[in-house]
Amino acid sequence: MMRCLREVNVDNNTVGWYQSTYMGSYQTAELIETFLNYQENIKRCVCIIYDPQRSGQGVLALKALKLTDAFMELFRNQNFTGEKLREQNLTWQDIFQEIPVKISNSALVSAIMTELESVSPATQSDFDRLVLSTNPFMEKNLEFLIECMDDLSMEQQRFQYYYRNLSRQQAQQQAWLQKRRTENMSRRALGEEPLPEEDPNNPIFKPLIEPSRLDSYLITNQISNYCSQINGFAGQSFIKLYMMDAVHENN
């Protein structure tokens, strides 16, 4: 529908979509799949992420994101093995690319906003910035951070289980090959044809499927986002506390 609208010049400014989030929890597999669907029709597709909860703390939490080309290629092939990621030199920081956002108003809008501006020197949003309570925001961020750490621990357990099975399979293969080679030496001594050293019907030669590293990359990205939010909000809270301490000392 968007492609047809652009062809008839009805809506030629569509560059992506808007999505709200809660406490910065937006880095999910569903977002990547939506990106993939949009980029099939819009080459320069971006997603505008808005966090109303964080904006209520006096910070305009608005981001414009897009997926990197290297990550899109891997996602189309669904090949997120460790070997492929090392080959492409792709880390968890190379999934999303943040695009700078510049917000500006026309002269007419600025004039109207000036006319509608309250006569009082301070507004409610100005008073909200002076609120010293940090418990709700910090508690939610720490709660989500702990959940992400638990999810990351579960992902690491999955990889440890895979590598244990891989080591066990390799040991079984070596033992089977050693036994087969010994048997072939006996057969050659008797003038018989040696048996093949690999048996595709043997279950120990069936390759194990390596778990995808996409989920662990997204969880790591989300953990980094929570840590950045906690660090930024804690810095602002310390500034407020030091300011109020100086005010009390002067009084």
Side-chain angles (χ1 to χ4, degrees):
M1 176 62 68
M2 290 187 297
R3 185 171 60 251
C4 293
L5 288 174
R6 287 199 306 274
E7 289 176 356
V8 295
N9 291 329
V10 173
D11 187 359
N12 198 30
N13 295 322
T14 304
V15 294
W17 79 103
Y18 156 84
Q19 177 175 323
S20 62
T21 184
Y22 181 69
M23 296 287 186
S25 305
Y26 60 86
Q27 304 191 31
T28 60
E30 290 77 12
L31 177 64
I32 296 176
E33 292 175 357
T34 307
F35 257 116
L36 186 63
N37 294 331
Y38 267 87
Q39 287 193 346
E40 290 179 356
N41 299 320
I42 306 174
K43 293 182 179 180
R44 298 179 179 179
C45 175
V46 296
C47 177
I48 302 297
I49 304 290
Y50 177 68
D51 190 344
Q53 185 73 19
R54 193 178 172 204
S55 297
Q57 303 295 327
V59 179
L60 180 59
L62 191 67
K63 291 184 177 180
L65 301 175
K66 63 171 293 187
L67 295 178
T68 60
D69 296 335
F71 178 80
M72 285 294 295
E73 183 179 354
L74 283 179
F75 189 81
R76 288 192 181 98
N77 298 328
Q78 290 296 316
N79 191 356
F80 286 99
T81 61
E83 180 181 357
K84 194 65 177 179
L85 291 172
R86 287 190 297 269
E87 180 183 333
Q88 297 291 332
N89 196 22
L90 190 72
T91 64
W92 59 269
Q93 296 173 325
D94 300 325
I95 298 179
F96 295 101
Q97 177 183 353
E98 187 171 350
I99 301 173
V101 177
K102 181 180 179 181
I103 301 176
S104 60
N105 293 326
S106 64
L108 182 59
V109 172
S110 299
I112 293 176
M113 294 299 294
T114 303
E115 186 174 332
L116 296 176
E117 196 173 53
S118 176
V119 181
S120 61
T123 61
Q124 183 61 39
S125 60
D126 295 326
F127 292 117
D128 291 340
R129 294 189 183 97
L130 297 176
V131 175
L132 300 179
S133 175
T134 61
N135 291 335
F137 187 80
M138 293 291 287
E139 285 179 0
K140 280 296 181 181
N141 270 278
L142 290 173
E143 179 183 342
F144 291 157
L145 180 60
I146 292 172
E147 291 179 1
C148 284
M149 294 298 294
D150 292 338
D151 294 339
L152 185 60
S153 177
M154 293 179 62
E155 288 294 319
Q156 290 177 345
Q157 292 177 6
R158 285 179 54 205
F159 286 111
Q160 291 174 358
Y161 179 74
Y162 164 75
Y163 283 116
R164 283 198 301 267
N165 290 338
L166 183 62
S167 299
R168 188 181 302 113
Q169 184 188 57
Q170 290 174 350
Q172 292 174 352
Q173 290 175 356
Q174 291 297 325
W176 189 89
L177 287 173
Q178 186 65 30
K179 181 180 178 181
R180 177 56 60 91
R181 287 167 183 169
T182 304
E183 184 180 356
N184 284 337
M185 290 176 63
S186 302
R187 292 177 67 89
R188 290 192 186 95
L190 296 174
E192 298 177 358
E193 288 290 330
L195 298 174
E197 292 189 356
E198 290 188 4
D199 186 5
N201 297 323
N202 196 324
I204 64 174
F205 287 99
K206 184 179 180 181
L208 298 177
I209 300 176
E210 182 179 350
S212 174
R213 297 180 182 268
L214 175 61
D215 291 338
S216 61
Y217 269 37
L218 290 176
I219 294 172
T220 306
N221 230 326
Q222 193 64 61
I223 289 174
S224 176
N225 188 32
Y226 287 141
C227 291
S228 298
Q229 289 184 171
I230 292 173
N231 187 27
F233 189 72
Q236 294 177 1
S237 300
F238 276 122
I239 293 174
K240 293 178 184 178
L241 291 174
Y242 283 131
M243 181 184 67
M244 294 304 299
D245 184 51
V247 170
H248 285 303
E249 287 181 357
N250 292 334
N251 291 336

